[in-house]
Amino acid sequence: MINYNYDYVPFFKEIIGNPYEFNSNIHFKINNRRYLGNKSKLVNFINSVVVEEIKEFNSFCDLFAGTGSVSAHFNNFDKKIIVNDILFSNYIVLKAFFSVTQIDYKVLQEKIEHLNNMNNFSESYFFETFGGKYFSIENAMKIGNIREEIDKISENENEKYLLLTSLIFAADKVANTVGHYDAFCKKILNKNKLFLLMPFIRFENNFNNEIYRVDAVELAQQVKCDVLYLDPPYNSRQYNSAYHVLENLVKWEKPEVKGIAKKMEMNDTKSRFCTKLAPFDFKKIINKCNCKYIIVSYNNTANTMHSRSNALISDSFIIDEMRKIGEVKVFSMDYKGYTTGKAINMNNKERLFFCKVG
């Protein structure tokens, strides 16, 4: 039996919260997260192309879902959303937001209260590995203890997905970084205290959805959909390296880490789209997919001040391959993308390559 202490978060005692009404004091949304290439600010641009060129569709497949912000925009009770991402930390979030169809809302809220009110901390793997680096000593200790507690109090997979997602988003808010985990700030600049909120999810929209953590090329051959949306990595910066701390936290295998950045072995989550194989894998997806429309997001990072940030697939290659299977249009808008801070492109544009198949 869990004993709840309401002193730390008194408003939870007074407000159970309506799962259908967003309250920023209680809830967080799927796009409330710092992430490289996050399309949350471009959703309206993407939607405008869908409305103009497609109008109606029944299924939407996002092969490189990342944060899931684009799929979330199109997720509705009369649509089937298929989402995929290779990272464990993203997969957990996608499972929480797109696969859970029912939950005891009050019980979930009570368990999040319990996690927030934990105060008898012990030194843990997470504290010893990341404390005083990516997180303050206090936050690192609390994150590690909360992670252990989630395994103890989760009564089913859905609860665990939701609680882990709450922890991922809370950790992101207090991380001593610029939004990714390639490196940490030398001084603890982020002194906010860890605080978990409730994920804001419309459960009734999730009955038809499918969530995967598989190779994008393989999945493209297996699924059938109306709209196939592709937002692959643009350059050689591996996402598993940028988010290794969250991968470590979610998998909770407590591996040995190396170097100043405290990174673990992560070969199983490397993407070929961050290598010279990117054009070949893109061609495979285009040639083998089963869909009516294809939308490709790709940033014009072909010429930057850092070679690792240069785009691995050229515009001409994307257009040529898509023209082999249908009519192609290109839409663009000015956009200041979220980067690692090492590359600057003053003429940055986000483009959508649209193809009506056949």
Side-chain angles (χ1 to χ4, degrees):
M1 183 70 180
I2 299 172
N3 294 318
Y4 299 108
N5 175 4
Y6 292 100
D7 293 339
Y8 189 77
V9 279
F11 64 79
F12 269 92
K13 183 178 181 181
E14 304 298 331
I15 307 172
I16 291 299
N18 185 337
Y20 297 101
E21 293 181 5
F22 179 75
N23 183 330
S24 60
N25 289 325
I26 298 176
H27 302 116
F28 65 90
K29 294 182 179 180
I30 195 171
N31 60 352
N32 297 150
R33 182 180 167 200
R34 298 174 297 175
Y35 196 79
L36 294 169
N38 189 347
K39 292 296 184 293
S40 59
K41 294 182 179 180
L42 295 169
V43 165
N44 289 335
F45 172 48
I46 297 169
N47 183 68
S48 68
V49 173
V50 170
V51 170
E52 181 179 344
E53 300 294 332
I54 299 175
K55 296 179 177 61
E56 295 183 3
F57 63 94
N58 295 316
S59 54
F60 184 95
C61 177
D62 189 350
L63 281 186
F64 305 87
T67 62
S69 57
V70 173
S71 292
H73 178 80
F74 295 106
N75 190 26
N76 210 330
F77 71 93
D78 61 346
K79 299 283 191 298
K80 179 177 183 177
I81 302 298
I82 304 167
V83 290
N84 176 63
D85 200 271
I86 197 65
L87 295 188
F88 283 92
S89 52
N90 287 344
Y91 174 73
I92 291 296
V93 173
L94 297 174
K95 288 287 287 186
F97 274 94
F98 295 114
S99 74
V100 178
T101 56
Q102 60 181 358
I103 196 75
D104 190 320
Y105 189 77
K106 185 176 180 179
V107 169
L108 178 65
Q109 192 161 15
E110 288 176 343
K111 290 187 176 182
I112 289 180
E113 289 176 28
H114 164 65
L115 297 176
N116 277 327
N117 289 315
M118 288 176 61
N119 51 28
N120 295 321
F121 302 133
S122 58
E123 295 185 3
S124 65
Y125 166 83
F126 197 87
F127 158 74
E128 293 173 352
T129 307
F130 303 115
K133 302 175 181 69
Y134 291 102
F135 302 92
S136 69
I137 295 295
E138 179 184 352
N139 283 332
M141 190 172 289
K142 189 167 185 177
I143 289 171
N145 280 255
I146 285 177
R147 180 62 184 88
E148 296 281 7
E149 188 72 4
I150 286 175
D151 283 345
K152 296 176 183 177
I153 66 175
S154 298
E155 297 181 11
N156 52 61
E157 281 193 340
N158 284 349
E159 263 193 11
K160 190 169 183 178
Y161 295 146
L162 293 165
L163 293 175
L164 283 176
T165 294
S166 182
L167 179 58
I168 289 170
F169 277 69
D172 176 65
K173 295 295 184 184
V174 299
N176 188 43
T177 70
V178 295
H180 56 81
Y181 299 84
D182 266 331
F184 51 85
C185 302
K186 292 182 179 180
K187 295 182 179 180
I188 300 296
L189 302 179
N190 192 333
K191 298 182 180 180
N192 295 324
K193 291 186 177 181
L194 185 82
F195 185 74
L196 279 64
L197 298 174
M198 292 281 290
F200 184 71
I201 301 171
R202 299 300 297 265
F203 300 107
E204 72 275 13
N205 293 337
N206 293 342
F207 284 93
N208 298 319
N209 298 341
E210 298 176 9
I211 295 84
Y212 297 93
R213 197 193 72 82
V214 298
D215 178 79
V217 177
E218 295 178 6
L219 186 60
Q221 301 175 48
Q222 300 172 12
V223 300
K224 181 179 180 180
C225 60
D226 292 334
V227 182
L228 178 64
Y229 175 68
L230 305 178
D231 181 25
Y234 301 153
N235 52 53
S236 63
R237 299 182 186 277
Q238 289 282 354
Y239 276 69
N240 64 352
S241 180
Y243 296 96
H244 65 98
V245 174
L246 298 182
E247 289 291 281
N248 196 330
L249 179 62
V250 169
K251 295 173 74 173
W252 208 234
E253 296 172 350
K254 304 177 183 178
E256 291 186 11
V257 295
K258 298 179 180 179
I260 297 175
K262 303 296 182 181
K263 295 186 178 182
M264 59 185 182
E265 186 63 47
M266 299 174 289
N267 289 329
D268 60 331
T269 52
K270 286 185 176 179
S271 172
R272 291 194 301 272
F273 277 84
C274 296
T275 72
K276 293 181 180 180
L277 295 174
F280 302 99
D281 277 9
F282 178 82
K283 183 175 182 178
K284 289 179 183 178
I285 290 176
I286 298 301
N287 289 339
K288 297 181 179 181
C289 63
N290 187 352
C291 60
K292 298 177 182 178
Y293 307 95
I294 301 174
I295 300 174
V296 179
S297 285
Y298 214 71
N299 196 287
N300 67 330
T301 54
N303 297 293
T304 67
M305 295 177 64
H306 197 285
S307 59
R308 285 186 63 197
S309 296
N310 290 343
L312 293 168
I313 308 176
S314 67
D315 288 8
S316 58
F317 186 87
I318 293 173
I319 294 171
D320 288 345
E321 291 304 315
M322 294 177 75
R323 278 178 175 167
K324 293 178 182 178
I325 62 169
E327 178 186 352
V328 178
K329 294 182 180 180
V330 182
F331 303 84
S332 67
M333 68 172 288
D334 293 330
Y335 175 64
K336 183 179 181 180
Y338 174 62
T339 73
T340 60
K342 296 179 181 179
I344 299 175
N345 188 337
M346 298 304 293
N347 297 310
N348 199 31
K349 290 184 180 294
E350 186 73 23
R351 281 83 45 74
L352 291 180
F353 299 85
F354 175 83
C355 178
K356 183 177 181 181
V357 179

